[in-house]
Amino acid sequence: MHAADAFRAGHHLVLQAGAGTGKTTTLALLAAATQRRGRYLAFNKSIALDAAARFPRTVQCKTAHATAYAALGHRYTHRLNSPRQSAWKTGRALGITRPVRIGEHEITARSLSNTVLRTVTRFCYSADHSLDRHHVPPLRRLGTPAEQAQFTEAVLPFAHRAWADLHNPDHGVVRFEHDHYLKMWALTEPRIDADFLLLDEAQDTNPVLEQVFSAQRDHAQLVMVGDSAQAIYGWRGARDVMTGFDATHLTLTRSFRFGPLIAEQANRWLELADAPIRLTGTDTIPTTVGDLDCPDAVLCRTNIGAMTEVMRLLTDGRRVALARGAQALAALALAARDLKEGRATAHPELVLFRSWGELQEYAEHDPAGRDLQPFVNLVDTHGPDAILAAINQLTDETEADVTVSTAHTAKGREWPTVRIADDFPPPKDTDQHDAQGRPIPEPVNDTDARLAYVAVTRSRHHLDLGGLSWINTHLPPPSPAA
C-alpha cells in the first residue's frame, strides 16, 4: 500500500480519502505498524472515542479542544458555560454606551456590540498572533473605504478590551467559549510531544489549528487525512487546508461502504463540487438507487427539516430516533414555553432573556445567537408544545424503525438504507432559457454540492434521492456501470 510505504519512509502525508474508503482503518494500520508514539487529533469527541478503541495504545486520541483544555483551558472552567446574554448587554459592560456617527449613518451601540464580538470570534478562528483591523467584519451599510476604516477604528479598542476580559479565569463580562481557550493555547506556540501526528477531517480545520499542527513539522511526522469534498463547515471559519499542504499527496478512492450505483451518484456531486477525486464502488456490495418507503435513516438539510420529518413519521406510526440533540431541544422548548407565556426561564443559557421577543431578536441579529436561529424558527412554526410532544415520543436508535438526522450530523455515519428529505432546494432559475424555452437554472454552488455528497454517501445498500432528485434534470444521468 502506497500510504504505508510513504509513512514508513517518514514522509509528511496528505491522504484524500473519499466516503467509505476506510480512512480510519488506514490510519490505524499505519499506527499499528510502528512503535513510535503518536497523537490523533479528531474532529469531535465521538470520533475520538471511536478511534481510541481502534488505535494501539501508543497513540493518544483526543480532539484539538480537549488537547487545549488539558494544557490551558482547564484554568477557565469557572467561566465556561455561563448564561447567554444579548451582545448589547455585553457591549454596555465593556463601555459601549452610545452610538457612533459615521458619515450619514448612525451606528447604534447594539450594532457596535455585535461587531465587537464577531471581531473576537474571527480572530479566534484565525492563525494571527494579534487582534487587528482585518478581523473587524465590514458593515454592509457603509459604502466607502474611509467609512469602513472609521468604523474599524471605533470597534477595535472594544474588541481588545473584550479579548483582555476573556483572559481573566475567575470572572468577566464576555461569555467564555471553548474556541477562546483553543486560541489562547495556540498563541503559546505549543509543542505537541509525539513522533507523529494524525489530523483527521482535515478539510474542516480552522486556520488556528492548522497553524498549531504545521508548527510540529520539525520534530514530528505529519499526516493529514480527510475528504476535500466533505468540507461543510466553512460557515464557522473552517477551511480545506489539505490541497496546498507541503507533503506527499495520496488518494483513497475505492469505497468499501457501497457498490457502483451509489458511487456513480456520489461522483455527480463530486463533479459539481470540482473535487480532486472520484469514487469507485465495490462490485460485491449490492446497491440500489430508487424510491424507498421504509428507510433506516432520513437525512435533512436543516434542524427545522429534521424536526418536521420527525413529526410526520410519528404521525405515520413509526418509531423514530433523532440523531443527537433531542434532550437539549426539549430543554430549549420548555424554556421557549416559559418565555412565550411571560415567565422567566431557569434554562442556564437563556436565563437572562426576559421575553420570547427578546430571544427572537437575539437569534436573528446577534452573532452569538446564530446557532439558536433554527430552534427559534421551529418554535415559531410549530409551537413549543408540539415540539415537546414529538420529543417525548422519540425512541432510542437501537429500538427505532427510522433515524432522522441532519446531513451535518450524519457525517461519518452510515446506514443500510437512506432517504434524502425534501428540504434540499434545487438551484433557482435564471432569466435565460434553453432551446426548448425552459429556464436555465443557476449553477449548483460548492457548499450545496458538498453537503449533498455527504448525504448520498451515507447509505450502504439502498439510496432514495428524494429531495435531491432534481439532480436528474440538472445533470445527465450517470452512465450505466460497465
Side-chain angles (χ1 to χ4, degrees):
M1 186 170 75
H2 294 311
D5 292 341
F7 183 73
R8 277 194 298 269
H11 299 310
H12 300 303
L13 287 176
V14 170
L15 293 178
Q16 283 280 0
T21 56
K23 65 181 176 64
T24 305
T25 300
T26 299
L27 290 179
L29 287 172
L30 297 183
T34 179
Q35 294 300 310
R36 295 181 298 156
R37 295 172 303 112
R39 290 281 196 102
Y40 170 87
L41 295 177
F43 184 70
N44 59 42
K45 186 176 180 180
S46 61
I47 293 174
L49 290 172
D50 176 67
R54 301 172 67 176
F55 278 75
R57 276 181 281 183
T58 51
V59 178
Q60 186 180 93
C61 302
K62 284 186 175 183
T63 65
H65 282 91
T67 304
Y69 183 85
L72 183 147
H74 64 276
R75 303 175 197 168
Y76 297 87
T77 302
H78 179 70
R79 288 189 62 178
L80 277 168
N81 302 316
S82 57
R84 293 175 185 260
Q85 69 173 351
S86 295
W88 68 267
K89 292 181 180 178
T90 302
R92 186 173 60 188
L94 291 170
I96 302 173
T97 56
R98 54 182 181 268
V100 174
R101 191 77 186 177
I102 298 179
E104 298 180 354
H105 304 281
E106 182 176 89
I107 312 302
T108 65
R110 188 182 300 263
S111 292
L112 203 59
S113 300
N114 289 345
T115 306
V116 165
L117 296 184
R118 287 176 62 201
T119 299
V120 173
T121 298
R122 284 161 60 103
F123 169 59
C124 287
Y125 288 157
S126 77
D128 299 323
H129 287 279
S130 59
L131 197 157
D132 211 338
R133 301 170 60 88
H134 63 276
H135 298 118
V136 180
L139 197 62
R140 190 169 296 174
R141 288 174 293 164
L142 301 179
T144 69
E147 288 178 338
Q148 292 288 358
Q150 190 179 346
F151 177 64
T152 296
E153 292 303 320
V155 168
L156 209 53
F158 293 109
H160 281 293
R161 193 174 299 175
W163 183 238
D165 173 273
L166 288 165
H167 281 74
N168 188 321
D170 299 316
H171 57 81
V173 299
V174 182
R175 188 171 190 259
F176 197 93
E177 307 275 1
H178 293 280
D179 285 331
H180 293 144
Y181 68 71
L182 180 67
K183 180 62 175 179
M184 293 174 186
W185 172 66
L187 288 172
T188 68
E189 299 183 355
R191 184 184 192 278
I192 299 176
D193 185 23
D195 299 316
F196 63 90
L197 287 178
L198 309 174
L199 178 62
D200 201 358
E201 302 290 350
Q203 77 281 348
D204 284 322
T205 298
N206 282 338
V208 62
L209 179 56
E210 177 197 5
Q211 176 195 45
V212 172
F213 181 79
S214 298
Q216 315 305 312
R217 178 182 288 267
D218 289 342
H219 73 271
Q221 183 181 8
L222 305 183
V223 179
M224 279 187 176
V225 64
D227 183 352
S228 292
Q230 292 190 52
I232 58 175
Y233 287 98
W235 52 273
R236 68 182 189 197
R239 67 187 186 94
D240 175 19
V241 301
M242 300 176 66
T243 307
F245 193 71
D246 181 15
T248 300
H249 287 246
L250 300 171
T251 58
L252 303 175
T253 58
R254 176 169 293 280
S255 179
F256 301 101
R257 180 179 299 160
F258 42 71
L261 290 178
I262 293 179
E264 288 169 0
Q265 294 297 328
N267 287 338
R268 301 171 83 183
W269 298 104
L270 288 170
E271 179 182 345
L272 289 171
D274 197 24
I277 62 171
R278 299 292 183 269
L279 294 182
T280 302
T282 298
D283 291 330
T284 55
I285 302 177
T287 53
T288 308
V289 176
D291 293 343
L292 191 60
D293 292 328
C294 300
D296 295 294
V298 179
L299 304 187
C300 308
R301 185 172 181 267
T302 65
N303 289 307
I304 299 170
M307 201 63 211
T308 302
E309 195 69 38
V310 164
M311 293 175 168
R312 186 187 67 77
L313 289 164
L314 287 171
T315 301
D316 291 345
R318 308 291 298 282
R319 292 178 299 173
V320 184
L322 179 63
R324 289 222 312 255
Q327 190 173 12
L329 193 59
L332 285 167
L334 287 168
R337 186 166 67 183
D338 286 338
L339 291 171
K340 286 176 76 73
E341 294 177 358
R343 296 189 299 271
T345 175
H347 192 287
E349 289 199 79
L350 307 182
V351 67
L352 297 179
F353 292 94
R354 294 168 296 178
S355 68
W356 181 248
E358 188 176 330
L359 180 59
Q360 285 174 311
E361 184 178 1
Y362 171 77
E364 183 174 358
H365 300 295
D366 196 310
R370 287 176 181 170
D371 60 318
L372 287 176
Q373 186 66 63
F375 168 73
V376 169
N377 291 341
L378 190 66
V379 171
D380 288 340
T381 302
H382 297 285
D385 290 338
I387 295 169
L388 287 165
I391 291 170
N392 287 335
Q393 296 179 66
L394 289 172
T395 306
D396 186 84
E397 283 198 53
T398 57
E399 304 293 331
D401 299 321
V402 56
T403 296
V404 176
S405 174
T406 64
H408 282 91
T409 300
K411 186 177 172 184
R413 299 193 60 184
E414 58 185 61
W415 292 270
T417 62
V418 169
R419 178 171 64 80
I420 308 300
D422 294 331
D423 62 340
F424 287 83
K428 296 177 181 178
D429 290 335
T430 65
D431 295 332
Q432 298 178 316
H433 294 77
D434 63 17
Q436 286 73 42
R438 295 171 299 198
I440 298 174
E442 294 177 353
V444 179
N445 69 54
D446 287 352
T447 301
D448 289 343
R450 289 193 293 267
L451 191 63
Y453 165 65
V454 170
V456 302
T457 53
R458 300 307 99 194
S459 174
R460 293 198 298 270
H461 298 298
H462 192 128
L463 171 66
D464 182 346
L465 282 173
L468 288 172
S469 295
W470 53 261
I471 189 66
N472 292 324
T473 57
H474 195 83
L475 280 182
S479 303

